[in-house]
Every structure is written in structure tokens, then in C-alpha cells.
Amino acid sequence: MPRPGGVSSGFKHVDVNDQDHETRLYVCHGKHVVHVKEVPFARSSLNHDDIFILDTKSKIFQFNGSNSSIQERAKALEVVQYIKDTFHEGKCEIASVEDGRMMADAEAGEFWGFFGGFAPLPRRAPAEGNEKHEETAIKLLCFDQGKLEPVNYESLAHELLQTNKCYFLDCGAELYVWMGRTTSLQERKGASEAAEKLLSDSNRTKTHIIKVIEGFETVMFKSKFKEWPQTPDLKLSSEDGRGKVAALLKRQGLNVKGLMKAAPAKEEPQSYIDCTGNLQVWRVNDKDKALLSSSDQSKFYTGDCYIFQYTYAGDDKEECLIGTWFGKKSVEEDRVTAVSLASKMVESAKFQAVQARLYEGKEPVQFFVIFQSLQVFKGGLSSGYKKFIAENGIDDDSYSEEGLALFRIQGSGPENMQAIQVEPVASSLNSSYCYILHDGNTVFTWAGNLTTALDQELMERQLDVIKPNTQSRSQKEGSETDQIWSLLGGKSEYSSQKMVRELESDPHLFSCVLSKGNLKVKEIHHFTQDDLMTEDVFILDCHTSIFVWVGQQVDVKVRLQALDIGEKFVVLDFLMENLARETPIFTVTEGSEPPFFTRFFTWDSAKSLMHGNSYQRKLAIVKGGGAPALDKPRRRTPVYSGRSTTQDKSQRSRSMSFSPERVRVRGRSPAFTALAANFESSSNRNLSTPPVVKKLYPKSLTPDSSNTSSKSSAIAALAGSSDRPTQTPTPESIKDGSESEKPKQVEDAKDAGAMNNRVESLTINEDAKENEPEDDEGLPIYPYERLKTTAADPVTEIDVTRRETYLSSAEFKEKFGMTKEAFSKLPKWKQNRLKIDLQLF
């Protein structure tokens, strides 16, 4: 918006306050992208189709043409806000004038007073110009040496554009000016002037000029062509950029030390969802859904479809996620049934739940952290799958505990781990993963040479789920026995490259219109939360996930089509990024946005809770007066009751299931196994939650009388086990030991307190709360060289899960680069990563 005196910059100082204010009139076009143009300050400039802004010395008026839409009026208010902040220092009144209001309205009377009084404006058909643009055929013009020549073509192809010339792509509503990379600045200026002259001569006041440079074309420009080749990103990588800058500064004699530091390593993607909520899972079967028990709700089959509902506490209300999961070999009939049933659940929740459509192999991180420990088996259990394989003569390869099966173990930690059944052949192996192979009760574990201690820990945890009561034989890559190769059908080549998941790209926001089954979208650049208007549907494309945002004032029929809109967007692939049909789709309703959606914005939840349409909401904010009433945040009632087994937040943990009646528990000492069996009760724990051993006794020294015998026996077993080599106990040895050890009375409080400290120091706090500092006062100090797992002279009689706590404060800071207190505030998974790198895990 040009103003007298120019623009203030480092070369020129412009004092707006020193200039006499001149009354100006602007016209605004556009629902989602506003185009502003100054027009003559005269009544003849006004019409019923557009939005006009009258900028006077003490007040800014917005005149809303009777044919303008709510979205256009709301968008024009952003221009009003800009004028107020930029040219009035935020100190002027705002007035809204509706087309057709007479002098009885004070603000309307004041507005018309600037034009000499009210007089009716001539009427014409609304959006007349836009209708003409839709019918305009696309024309390609070449601008070369000051001349404009039409380009004849059968189909609009990328090859028609030459890098040493400028071109006009005339689409009616938009005129694109394409500038080749080798064109001069003078040629580009001439092309811009020629484009403005072309529109001026043909009196096309509503056509917008859009300038694009070769290599940086917009998605909408590319979409006009029959096809557009995939080109490498022309932007310099951060490493190349640092190198070029360093070389330039070095030539100028400057010190460039530190400029060429390596880029930071990429961390695991965050889930942005609370993992302590309630989960229910149904398997789709015979056009209905069957609720799974807690022990089976994390066991999926690749031939089946599932519906899951996850409720969790949000910032100020109960959040709900309802989703469908389609196995790779599931049948279309089950998929349609799953979507229909899930949509009815969302509708019954008054669209306040987020809906997800997920395919096997393309699951987002939110899905994995909700389930935490997931197993995907071959085959299927649904009647639809069984019928399909029978009709097509396909062998039923559904998983059997007694048969031959191979599982690949993957994940980033105990809160995100999966066991995926693959073909039991050697070519399925990968040096970057751990595997579980079983043939009935013959069980092998196989660890690739590129796996970490964490990978092997996850394998042990999954083994406790798949084959909980069977002894396994561990195999290391390169030293396998003949038996394992025999089970896999002989040796063969296999990969060593870790499977890399697609990375999330920069998000793109699109406004959507679904008309007669056709989806029309328009990208909104530099988007903010204010671009999400309550009357419309928007799509946020992050490449790895698609979000369909639906405003509160969108028609119910369109709301029900939200998932279809997302699927059409994926098929059309507007960004030309080769979107897979299986890309996850989330539908989000205004006011119920989850954190994994709002993270792409600077989000203010109060805005989505305001009453009124987009224009009324923005007008209240711009005027700075009383905002419209807000919907009071409320706890949402879950669509269905909680899990099949009642549980509270404390029972949802980040680890795998565990049973105290187990023969053994991998990774735990015999003493801990004995203690867990005696001090934990399986009746007060959900099947999917592990034991949490925090304190064996409360602060009082007297244990509960009902458990005195069992607790004393466990303590005695602990005391005895600490003086002898550890061996894996059998059921008989545990039973005999508990019978032979008679309960002993605690002679005095001092002995009991000492025993408590002894027990607590050996307890594995697997589920200690994150960010909770652990008390290491009174622990002995050992040097790092004796504490690490590869030490030649290792320290004995320490808690091997907390090796770092035995370091001195100085050595801890030297090795970890932070204090113990700062370390304790890190997430558990990040602590483990640091400990693995320092060989303390």
C-alpha cells in the first residue's frame, strides 16, 4: 500500500506522524488471500460486490458490499488492523458499515457524509467477473525483447518455457508472469510493466498478477501444466551455506572458527499426545465390531480391520481420538464397514472427536505411542477375510503359536515398540534389526550387527509377549547355528540398511470447496490460525499426514464428507509430491483441535471457542471492545465407557505387560523376581500394565500384618541371594525357597530401616516418573572406567540400571555435559540414549 514519502528503511527515514493525513479509499478482493488496491476517493468507486476501506484521520470505516461474503469481510478486517497499527499507531476508532443501511445508523451516516450524503449504488449481478474468468481458456504468451507474442500449443507442457525468456500464463482470474533464471533484471522489470499494461488496456480490474521465478514455481502454477518434472531443490543445504559463508569471510581476513560445526542430529519425532489415557479396540467382523479384551487389544492381524477409541486428558477438556486401522490384506467390505462404524461414533460425539484413517505400514507416531507395545500377525480372524481366501483358493497363513514364525522388532523405546511378523526366510533379516524366530516351543532371538542395546532390550520385551514361558537361544549375526538357517530355509543375502520412515515436510494449508463431487483447492501462503474460518473446510498437508479441518458453521452434510475430502485430496496430489494413497488422514472439528494439529500454528484456543461467524469474531477483536461470549471449556464424555477393564491414569504405563506367575522375567535379577511375586497383586492391575515397584514399605516401619509373612520371606530371599552368584530361578526353586524360609521378626526399628534401604537400592524403578530427580545421597562414588558396561574391572553390588548415579558430580558433568539435576529432568528415553552413548546402559 504505497504512501506519500515512501517506505522507511535503513537508507531512508520516513516520519509518518509529520505528514498531513490524507483520506484514502481502498478496495479489497479475496476470501482467503486479500488483494488491496487504492481507488479514487469518490462515490463512483463503490459497488455492491466488494469490500471498501475508508481511511480518515480519526476513524477507519469498512464498507461491506451486499454481495460480498462473510469470509471476504473477515479477511478485509486484517487490512483495517494493518492500517490502524501502521498509520495510526493503533489509536483510532473502527466502524463497520453495511451496504443498504440508511442514515438512521450513526456510523453509516458518518461514512456517507464523506461522500456528500447517501445515495443508492447501481446494482449488477454478483460475482459477474469471476464467472467470466472460469470460462476463460488458458493462454501462454512469450515476452521477448519488449514484444509479446502468443505461443501455440496442443497441450501445455513444461518444455514450452525457455530459461532465457519471460512468459505470461493468462488464466483469467490470475495472470502469471514466469521469469527464466537467466533473464536480466531489466527484462524482468519490462515483463512486469507489460503485464500491468495488458490488464489495464483490457479493463481487467479483478485479475491478479502473480510473479514466479524458474525453480521456485508455486503449486497452483505447476498444476496448470499437463505434467511438471521433479527437480532437485535449488536451495543450498545448511552445510553448503555455512561453507560458502565461511569461505567468503575467510577471504576477508575474518576468523571463521566454529562456523563449520556439524548440524545437530535429528531426534525421534514427538507424538504431541498424552500416553496415559484409556484405550478400547474393536475388530470388524461380519458388518459389526467386536470388543477386544485388554490382553488382545494390541494384537493385530494384517488381514483384519480395527476400530480404536482413545480418550485422554487435554489442557482443559477430555480429548478423544477415534480411528480405523486397515491391514495390508484386509478386504474392502471390512474397510467400508470400519469407516462407517467409526464415523457413527464420531457423529454420536457431536463431531468433537478427532477421526483418523490409518493403513498398516503408514501409521503415524501417535498411533504407536497410544498402543505402546504392538504385535502385527500374518493372516486374519474376521469372517470377511476367511471368506475371501476360501473363494480365491489362497492358503490361510494366519499366525499360530505352534507353527513357524519370524518377527522383526522395531521402535524407539518401551513406549513405542512393535513386533511385525514377516516371511520366515533368511532374506527377511536385516542387520539393523533384532528378530524373534520360533517353531513351536523352539525359540531363537537374532541380533543384527548394527543393533543397539536398546534394540535388544525391546526384543526381550516383545519376547515376553510372544513366547512368555519358553526359554530362548540367542544368536548373533555371523555366529548363527545350522538349526536357525535350517528353519529359515537356508542362507541367503539380506539387507543391512535400516528402513527409514518418510520425513514430515513443511506444512501447506489449502482452502477447499467440494462441488458436485469435484474438489477445488487454493493454497494459503504464510498461513496463521486466523486463516481457519468457521464457515469453511481446510486441508493441512504435512506430507506424512493430512489434516481436514472443519469449521463449526460448516453444513452437517459437508462435515460427514470430511474423510472423503481428505481422500480426494490425496488422490489429486495437489503438491505433486507423490502422496501415497495410504497416507494417514485426520479429520478435526473447530474447537476440538488436538496438540498434534495446533503445533503447526501459534495457537490461541480462545479464538476457536468464540461465538459468531468469522467476520463477527474478527470485528470484536479489531475494535478491541467486548469479545463475543466464549463456549466454556468442558470435559467431554467419552463416546463409550473406558477400557474393558477399569483403570485410572496411574495404571497406564510406558512398559510392557508382566505377570508375577511367570517362570522368569528377562533382564531382572532373581531377587527382583521374588520380590515382584510377593509384593505385587495382579488383581489391582490391568493386563496391559506392568508392575510399578516404587517403595516396598511406606515411611512407617511396620508392614501390613496381612502381608508380613510373604514380605519377610521375600526380604530373606533377597538377603540370601546377594551373597551368591545369580542364577535364573525355576518355579520349583522359588517355591522351595519360600517354604523353607520362615518369617523372621524385625528385632528393632534400626534393622528394619536398614533392610528397607537395602531393598530399595536394588529395586528396579522401571516406571519412575519422568522429570523426577532420583535420590542418590549416600551412594558410593566410583570412577567412570569401572562403571561402564565394558569395564575391565567392573564394580559389583550396584544397581546396574542407575550406573550414572555412582559418578561424582564433577565427572558426571564432564561425561554428560550437564548436572545431575538437569539430567533428571530429561525424558526417560533421552536419558537412556545418553547412557547408551556413554556405555552406562
Side-chain angles (χ1 to χ4, degrees):
M1 294 167 53
R3 306 287 288 193
V7 179
S8 180
S9 67
F11 300 98
K12 184 174 183 179
H13 175 70
V14 176
D15 192 347
V16 178
N17 296 326
D18 289 345
Q19 303 168 14
D20 293 333
H21 190 281
E22 181 181 347
T23 300
R24 294 172 177 271
L25 184 65
Y26 302 93
V27 62
C28 301
H29 308 288
K31 286 176 60 176
H32 301 294
V33 180
V34 63
H35 299 272
V36 187
K37 182 180 181 181
E38 186 175 358
V39 293
F41 175 32
R43 185 198 306 275
S44 59
S45 297
L46 303 176
N47 61 59
H48 298 289
D49 298 331
D50 298 318
I51 313 294
F52 293 86
I53 297 174
L54 181 64
D55 179 18
T56 70
K57 186 173 183 179
S58 59
K59 185 178 286 189
I60 303 174
F61 296 86
Q62 175 168 318
F63 175 82
N64 302 316
S66 57
N67 294 332
S68 63
S69 67
I70 292 173
Q71 295 94 323
E72 288 177 306
R73 299 177 186 190
K75 203 67 185 175
L77 282 171
E78 295 181 12
V79 181
V80 172
Q81 184 70 58
Y82 173 80
I83 295 173
K84 177 181 177 181
D85 294 341
T86 306
F87 304 112
H88 295 268
E89 297 181 334
K91 301 174 183 177
C92 71
E93 295 182 46
I94 305 296
S96 172
V97 179
E98 296 300 322
D99 185 9
R101 285 190 182 177
M102 299 295 112
M103 297 294 290
D105 184 284
E107 291 183 338
E110 188 178 357
F111 171 79
W112 288 111
F114 285 95
F115 296 92
F118 174 79
L121 301 176
R123 288 195 172 273
R124 67 171 184 261
E128 179 183 348
N130 291 339
E131 292 175 3
K132 290 181 180 179
H133 291 325
E134 294 293 333
E135 300 170 1
T136 303
I138 296 178
K139 300 176 183 177
L140 183 65
L141 307 170
C142 177
F143 180 80
D144 187 26
Q145 297 181 351
K147 296 180 180 180
L148 202 58
E149 299 289 341
V151 178
N152 298 319
Y153 61 87
E154 291 184 2
S155 64
L156 193 58
H158 171 264
E159 290 73 18
L160 294 172
L161 305 177
Q162 299 180 31
T163 190
N164 61 339
K165 296 179 181 178
C166 294
Y167 292 84
F168 294 177
L169 189 66
D170 191 350
C171 304
E174 299 92 14
L175 177 64
Y176 292 93
V177 180
W178 184 88
M179 304 170 181
R181 290 178 63 193
T182 61
T183 55
S184 66
L185 180 61
Q186 195 65 29
E187 288 175 312
R188 296 183 184 186
K189 287 180 66 176
S192 298
E193 292 172 356
E196 292 177 0
K197 187 175 186 301
L198 175 66
L199 298 184
S200 177
D201 291 346
S202 56
N203 196 28
R204 293 167 57 182
T205 58
K206 290 196 172 184
T207 299
H208 310 301
I209 297 176
I210 303 173
K211 301 173 186 177
V212 293
I213 299 176
E214 182 183 4
F216 298 91
E217 295 88 351
T218 63
V219 175
M220 297 308 296
F221 177 81
K222 293 178 182 179
S223 67
K224 307 295 182 184
F225 290 77
K226 185 178 181 181
E227 59 181 22
W228 194 273
Q230 292 290 333
T231 54
D233 193 352
L234 296 175
K235 297 179 181 178
L236 290 173
S237 68
S238 58
E239 186 175 348
D240 291 339
R242 285 194 298 269
K244 291 182 180 294
V245 172
L248 178 63
L249 296 178
K250 194 171 183 180
R251 285 199 300 268
Q252 297 177 1
L254 299 176
N255 183 13
V256 296
K257 184 178 179 180
L259 185 61
M260 290 301 294
K261 290 181 179 178
K266 293 183 179 178
E267 297 183 353
E268 292 289 334
Q270 295 186 47
S271 61
Y272 297 95
I273 192 170
D274 179 17
C275 303
T276 61
N278 294 322
L279 177 67
Q280 277 187 297
V281 183
W282 295 264
R283 180 186 294 114
V284 174
N285 188 39
D286 196 20
K287 296 187 177 181
D288 201 356
K289 63 183 189 296
L291 181 65
L292 301 182
S293 65
S294 298
S295 57
D296 290 335
Q297 65 183 12
S298 63
K299 297 177 180 179
F300 283 18
Y301 285 81
T302 191
D304 293 338
C305 294
Y306 296 83
I307 300 172
F308 62 91
Q309 176 186 286
Y310 183 65
T311 55
Y312 58 99
D315 293 336
D316 51 19
K317 59 185 182 296
E318 194 81 357
E319 303 289 351
C320 182
L321 173 63
I322 297 173
T324 54
W325 183 90
F326 301 152
K328 289 182 178 179
K329 295 187 177 181
S330 59
V331 297
E332 186 63 25
E333 182 181 357
D334 285 349
R335 295 182 181 185
V336 172
T337 301
V339 171
S340 175
L341 293 173
S343 298
K344 289 179 181 177
M345 293 168 65
V346 173
E347 189 175 358
S348 67
K350 299 181 180 179
F351 299 98
Q352 293 184 33
V354 176
Q355 185 173 359
R357 187 220 63 180
L358 311 177
Y359 282 86
E360 179 186 356
K362 287 284 187 177
E363 303 92 341
V365 66
Q366 290 83 13
F367 176 81
F368 288 136
V369 299
I370 286 172
F371 282 85
Q372 300 183 1
S373 174
L374 182 70
Q375 298 81 44
V376 180
F377 301 107
K378 295 179 67 175
L381 303 179
S382 69
S383 58
Y385 174 77
K386 298 293 187 184
K387 180 181 177 182
F388 175 80
I389 61 175
E391 291 177 349
N392 291 274
I394 302 173
D395 293 335
D396 189 353
D397 61 350
S398 297
Y399 171 73
S400 170
E401 292 183 3
E402 305 303 322
L404 177 66
L406 178 66
F407 293 88
R408 181 182 70 247
I409 311 303
Q410 61 190 37
S412 60
E415 74 288 348
N416 176 2
M417 57 179 178
Q418 302 87 44
I420 312 297
Q421 187 178 359
V422 294
E423 289 294 327
V425 293
S427 59
S428 296
L429 299 176
N430 188 311
S431 301
S432 297
Y433 293 92
C434 293
Y435 291 80
I436 297 172
L437 173 68
H438 76 70
D439 185 13
N441 290 328
T442 302
V443 182
F444 291 93
T445 61
W446 186 89
N449 287 332
L450 301 179
T451 59
T452 64
L454 178 62
D455 295 327
Q456 295 167 28
E457 178 195 347
L458 299 186
M459 175 179 65
E460 291 291 326
R461 288 174 177 268
Q462 289 293 340
L463 187 56
D464 282 332
V465 177
I466 296 171
K467 281 291 182 179
N469 297 313
T470 309
Q471 192 70 32
S472 64
R473 297 170 59 185
S474 61
Q475 304 279 302
K476 188 73 177 175
E477 183 180 6
S479 59
E480 301 90 349
T481 62
D482 292 337
Q483 186 179 2
I484 192 172
W485 293 123
S486 176
L487 291 174
L488 293 175
K491 294 183 179 181
S492 69
E493 293 185 359
Y494 52 82
S495 175
S496 61
Q497 296 295 320
K498 199 173 185 72
M499 289 176 284
V500 180
R501 298 181 68 87
E502 286 186 306
L503 296 177
E504 189 177 78
S505 63
D506 290 337
H508 295 258
L509 184 69
F510 296 86
S511 62
C512 304
V513 176
L514 186 62
S515 176
K516 298 179 181 179
N518 296 321
L519 181 65
K520 297 181 180 180
V521 302
K522 187 169 185 178
E523 185 170 6
I524 301 173
H525 301 279
H526 312 293
F527 62 84
T528 66
Q529 181 186 355
D530 291 335
D531 289 308
L532 301 175
M533 296 191 180
T534 188
E535 299 83 12
D536 292 330
V537 177
F538 294 84
I539 287 179
L540 188 68
D541 180 2
C542 310
H543 184 65
T544 53
S545 296
I546 301 295
F547 295 89
V548 182
W549 184 91
V550 183
Q552 285 284 6
Q553 297 194 20
V554 171
D555 187 78
V556 175
K557 292 182 180 179
V558 178
R559 288 192 190 188
L560 294 172
Q561 295 178 294
L563 202 58
D564 294 334
I565 291 174
E567 290 178 343
K568 287 180 181 292
F569 182 88
V570 170
V571 172
L572 293 173
D573 193 12
F574 287 97
L575 285 177
M576 301 181 183
E577 53 185 340
N578 297 321
L579 274 180
R581 187 185 182 279
E582 297 80 15
T583 301
I585 298 175
F586 295 90
T587 65
V588 180
T589 302
E590 181 185 13
S592 302
E593 296 89 350
F596 53 88
F597 173 81
T598 59
R599 66 191 178 95
F600 296 106
F601 302 81
T602 302
W603 196 261
D604 181 359
S605 58
K607 289 183 177 180
S608 60
L609 296 172
M610 294 175 71
H611 287 318
N613 58 40
S614 298
Y615 174 65
Q616 292 167 338
R617 296 179 187 184
K618 283 193 178 181
L619 183 61
I621 295 173
V622 171
K623 282 191 172 184
L630 300 180
D631 290 318
K632 187 177 181 181
R634 58 193 180 280
R635 289 278 178 183
R636 285 203 292 270
T637 304
V639 182
Y640 292 86
S641 57
R643 294 180 181 230
S644 53
T645 303
T646 304
Q647 63 176 11
D648 57 25
K649 283 181 68 173
S650 63
Q651 290 175 304
R652 275 285 284 175
S653 110
R654 293 176 174 258
S655 304
M656 51 161 297
S657 57
F658 168 78
S659 173
E661 289 79 27
R662 283 282 315 283
V663 174
R664 62 185 175 85
V665 181
R666 298 174 179 85
R668 292 171 175 170
S669 67
F672 182 83
T673 305
L675 285 170
N678 285 279
F679 286 97
E680 293 183 305
S681 171
S682 58
S683 62
N684 64 356
R685 193 172 67 245
N686 186 276
L687 290 174
S688 63
T689 16
V692 182
V693 182
K694 298 287 187 184
K695 299 283 186 180
L696 298 180
Y697 292 141
K699 291 184 178 180
S700 63
L701 298 175
T702 306
D704 181 39
S705 58
S706 62
N707 295 325
T708 301
S709 177
S710 60
K711 294 183 180 180
S712 300
S713 300
I715 294 172
L718 173 64
S721 66
S722 63
D723 297 326
R724 61 178 180 272
T726 58
Q727 296 179 350
T728 304
T730 61
E732 291 78 8
S733 64
I734 294 177
K735 182 178 179 182
D736 294 343
S738 62
E739 289 177 351
S740 61
E741 293 288 345
K742 296 181 179 180
K744 297 181 180 180
Q745 299 295 328
V746 180
E747 296 181 358
D748 53 62
K750 181 177 180 181
D751 292 339
M755 184 59 69
N756 280 344
N757 292 334
R758 172 74 172 149
V759 172
E760 289 169 13
S761 67
L762 293 177
T763 299
I764 300 177
N765 292 308
E766 288 188 320
D767 295 273
K769 291 181 179 179
E770 292 182 3
N771 304 332
E772 180 179 306
E774 297 176 356
D775 183 13
D776 57 358
E777 293 182 3
L779 291 177
I781 301 300
Y782 296 101
Y784 167 75
E785 295 301 324
R786 293 193 63 195
L787 287 171
K788 62 182 184 179
T789 55
T790 57
D793 180 23
V795 180
T796 58
E797 296 186 355
I798 62 169
D799 183 353
V800 295
T801 67
R802 300 174 59 207
R803 294 176 185 268
E804 73 282 2
T805 60
Y806 298 93
L807 290 169
S808 66
S809 298
E811 194 167 21
F812 187 99
K813 189 170 184 179
E814 176 188 347
K815 297 298 181 182
F816 286 88
M818 66 184 77
T819 63
K820 289 186 178 183
E821 183 180 0
F823 178 82
S824 68
K825 294 179 180 179
L826 294 175
K828 202 70 176 177
W829 65 267
K830 189 171 287 188
Q831 292 181 4
N832 291 341
R833 286 290 171 86
L834 293 173
K835 288 160 65 174
I836 289 171
D837 294 338
L838 293 172
Q839 299 179 338
L840 292 173
F841 186 84

